[in-house]
Amino acid sequence: MANTSRPYRGRYRVAVAMLLACCPVPAAAQTVQELQRQIDELKAQIKALTDAQKGMTTVVPVAPVPSIPAQPVSPAPQVANAAPVTAAPAPQRVASIPKPPSARAPWYERMRLRGYTQLRYNAVLDSQEPLSITGSRLRSVHDSSINDDGGFLLRRVRLVLQGDITDRLQLYFQHDFGTAVNNQSSAERRENFGQLRDVYVDWFLDPERRLRLRFGQSKVPFGWENLQSSSNRLPLDRSDAINSGVPGERDVGVNAYYTPDAVQVIWDRLTRNKQKLFGNYGAFGVALYNGQGTNRTERNDSLMKVAMATWPFALDALGPLFRGQVLEIGGSAMFNRFRPELRGGGVTPIDYRDDRVAVHAILYPQPFGIQTEWTAGWAPQYDGASGVIRNSRAGGGYVQLMADAGKTPIGRMIPYARWQRYRGGWKANVDAPRLETDEWELGSEIQLVEALELTIAYARMERREADVRRIGRATGDLIRTQLQFTY
């Protein structure tokens, strides 16, 4: 029997050796001693792999090798009183946390330079001439090319430098080369001068970047449309009522913004669907500013206080009709004391009340949507009867319908219709003149290619000119066009 079993055992051992050489999991052993020898060999292989991986930046986990308890194989004899073999614990998988760009890249790779340019042309179809030289002409506080002479206008020429300084500090710097100034020797305008728009840093107080503090010159969180970038807005101009609170949209101060995860998830979803958001200024924001406006010297010892809240709601649970729809609602408030400029020079020594509240609601166009904002409050306004500036009521808003028509033979189209109304002072102009605005605008944005957008609109305007020397209102019909290219 011994002689006949030796060849069988030799062939079996050869087969076991071949299996061990080809398979990552050891075969069953005849005896405890044989199993221990196989375990020792596997340990040596694992040690060799570990030594070879030393110095690598990423951890490649080795799959655990399960131990197989000894099984009796006939006709091999069993060893008495053999100790049971237990499986060794599997090694734990270590996940490496990716480092932020600021920690793994040089500064010139962390910064991004981008921008956009807007070229406009307005054609006045007809307008009612003023009855006298003091009558209001057809003018807009947002677009200087709306006049009798017209012509092409570079409305905005923006360059933005943005990026991470450190893991928790981010820089934003924006300059506009499409602003105008008056000639030093005359009142003639000079176009396309450079002007600072934004310069601030965001200090993120948590690794997820939900809570941030902002220092510098930045947009004031009052009004949803005010915060929305002009490169991302459907209508050519902001509404008079909302923008009257913060003409130029910016001031110097300190902000605090907070964005909960639930809100960020919905905003990310809208971004993937190419919706026109207002930008991530937080779901909640509070701020302190000088209060005199963009690039203007502070004139009193009071600060402008601003607070804003906005919250998007996913409407999928309301049924198939609302699947994919998002409704965002919110409001903002500002409390300020303002000193308007005077025609004779300087600013008034009186602090005028500049307190306002605003509400907004946006149903994003998927494919149909609606957007509306309304504001009310107090603002400085010139009183023509007494010839002085007074604290006066100010209010108004707009309603906008829009649709995402999707891709067409000439590009993605987003038609819109907007009606706006405003009654109140325009504090950014000399002597804070009164505006009386009623306007309809019907147009469409056409995204010809990814970096080229064409907006064509028809506008029916009824406006009082922003000049205390003018009275009454002018009316007119215009065809407005804008070509925007981004880079």
Side-chain angles (χ1 to χ4, degrees):
M1 293 295 295
N3 293 334
T4 58
S5 62
R6 284 174 184 173
Y8 173 82
R9 289 182 180 179
R11 289 192 301 270
Y12 183 77
R13 288 171 180 171
V14 171
V16 169
M18 293 176 64
L19 288 174
L20 286 174
C22 299
C23 301
V25 180
Q30 286 182 318
T31 65
V32 174
Q33 291 81 3
E34 182 68 17
L35 178 63
Q36 185 60 49
R37 182 183 64 79
Q38 296 172 7
I39 292 175
D40 293 339
E41 292 177 356
L42 290 175
K43 286 182 178 180
Q45 295 177 11
I46 293 173
K47 185 177 184 302
L49 290 174
T50 303
D51 293 340
Q53 291 176 343
K54 286 184 178 180
M56 296 178 64
T57 56
T58 56
V59 178
V60 181
V62 180
V65 182
S67 298
I68 302 177
Q71 298 292 337
V73 179
S74 179
Q78 301 297 318
V79 179
N81 300 327
V85 179
T86 59
Q92 298 296 319
R93 183 183 297 267
V94 180
S96 59
I97 301 176
K99 296 180 180 180
S102 58
R104 67 170 182 255
W107 68 269
Y108 51 83
E109 293 183 6
R110 303 193 304 264
M111 294 294 171
R112 178 189 176 196
L113 184 64
R114 57 183 177 85
Y116 66 96
T117 296
Q118 294 175 344
L119 176 65
R120 287 192 184 180
Y121 185 83
N122 295 295
V124 179
L125 301 179
D126 67 84
S127 63
Q128 295 183 6
E129 296 294 333
L131 299 178
S132 66
I133 59 174
T134 60
S136 291
R137 301 163 298 179
L138 190 61
R139 299 289 187 271
S140 171
V141 292
H142 304 287
D143 191 339
S144 61
S145 65
I146 298 178
N147 54 52
D148 299 333
D149 301 322
F152 290 100
L153 172 70
L154 288 175
R155 179 62 182 89
R156 293 175 178 88
V157 184
R158 300 286 176 88
L159 278 178
V160 177
L161 178 65
Q162 181 181 12
D164 291 328
I165 301 174
T166 67
D167 297 351
R168 298 287 184 91
L169 205 63
Q170 188 178 79
L171 169 70
Y172 188 93
F173 181 91
Q174 180 175 210
H175 215 75
D176 187 6
F177 296 91
T179 59
V181 297
N182 287 336
N183 190 1
Q184 294 180 353
S185 60
S186 69
E188 185 181 357
R189 283 170 56 94
R190 293 291 188 266
E191 304 288 349
N192 305 327
F193 278 76
Q195 184 187 73
L196 178 67
R197 302 302 289 175
D198 301 274
V199 56
Y200 60 81
V201 291
D202 281 341
W203 178 26
F204 299 97
L205 302 182
D206 61 323
E208 294 78 16
R209 298 192 170 191
R210 293 171 297 189
L211 179 62
R212 71 184 73 179
L213 296 179
R214 179 168 293 177
F215 307 92
Q217 178 165 298
S218 64
K219 285 186 176 180
V220 177
F222 179 80
W224 193 92
E225 189 184 54
N226 272 2
L227 292 175
Q228 189 180 39
S229 172
S230 298
S231 64
N232 205 32
R233 187 180 60 249
L234 270 178
L236 296 181
D237 297 314
R238 293 181 171 89
S239 63
D240 289 4
I242 304 301
N243 197 239
S244 66
V246 193
E249 303 89 51
R250 295 162 175 85
D251 211 323
V252 179
V254 179
N255 311 59
Y257 292 120
Y258 175 67
T259 306
D261 290 338
V263 173
Q264 190 61 57
V265 167
I266 297 179
W267 283 347
D268 290 343
R269 164 180 155 186
L270 292 171
T271 301
R272 289 193 298 270
N273 293 337
K274 297 183 179 180
Q275 294 296 319
K276 293 180 176 293
L277 278 69
F278 80 127
N280 191 347
Y281 288 86
F284 304 97
V286 293
L288 293 173
Y289 292 94
N290 282 340
Q292 279 296 118
T294 307
N295 298 326
R296 297 195 179 194
T297 304
E298 174 66 345
R299 295 296 186 177
N300 53 34
D301 58 356
S302 65
L303 294 176
M304 179 170 64
K305 281 78 67 177
V306 186
M308 181 199 70
T310 187
W311 196 275
F313 297 88
L315 305 182
D316 303 75
L318 299 181
L321 183 63
F322 296 92
R323 184 171 295 119
Q325 295 282 1
V326 174
L327 174 65
E328 184 169 334
I329 59 176
S332 49
M334 59 173 286
F335 304 93
N336 187 30
R337 295 297 177 266
F338 187 83
R339 295 187 178 185
E341 293 185 59
L342 299 176
R343 187 167 299 277
V347 300
T348 174
I350 303 174
D351 289 337
Y352 289 94
R353 185 179 177 186
D354 188 24
D355 303 334
R356 308 162 192 248
V357 295
V359 294
H360 63 261
I362 301 94
L363 180 66
Y364 290 90
Q366 301 185 98
F368 301 103
I370 183 171
Q371 177 178 320
T372 182
E373 290 187 81
W374 290 88
T375 182
W378 292 85
Q381 176 186 301
Y382 184 80
D383 183 0
S386 60
V388 297
I389 302 174
R390 298 184 181 276
N391 288 313
S392 303
R393 291 279 189 177
Y398 69 92
V399 178
Q400 177 177 303
L401 304 177
M402 56 268 195
D404 188 349
K407 293 184 178 180
T408 69
I410 58 175
R412 182 190 179 198
M413 295 187 64
I414 310 176
Y416 69 91
R418 184 179 72 166
W419 169 76
Q420 64 161 313
R421 172 186 173 87
Y422 177 59
R423 299 291 188 273
W426 188 259
K427 65 182 183 181
N429 280 24
V430 174
D431 293 332
R434 174 180 171 84
L435 291 187
E436 296 178 4
T437 302
D438 290 283
E439 180 177 307
W440 283 93
E441 185 175 332
L442 179 66
S444 179
E445 177 186 285
I446 307 171
Q447 299 178 3
L448 304 173
V449 294
E450 185 177 358
L452 193 65
E453 296 179 359
L454 174 65
T455 301
I456 303 176
Y458 160 78
R460 172 67 178 179
M461 295 184 175
E462 296 184 24
R463 289 178 170 272
R464 180 168 182 167
E465 190 174 350
D467 190 332
V468 298
R469 299 166 298 182
R470 302 282 180 173
I471 59 175
R473 292 203 297 173
T475 62
D477 299 282
L478 293 86
I479 294 295
R480 310 187 65 194
T481 62
Q482 174 178 280
L483 186 68
Q484 174 180 293
F485 44 97
T486 59
Y487 34 86

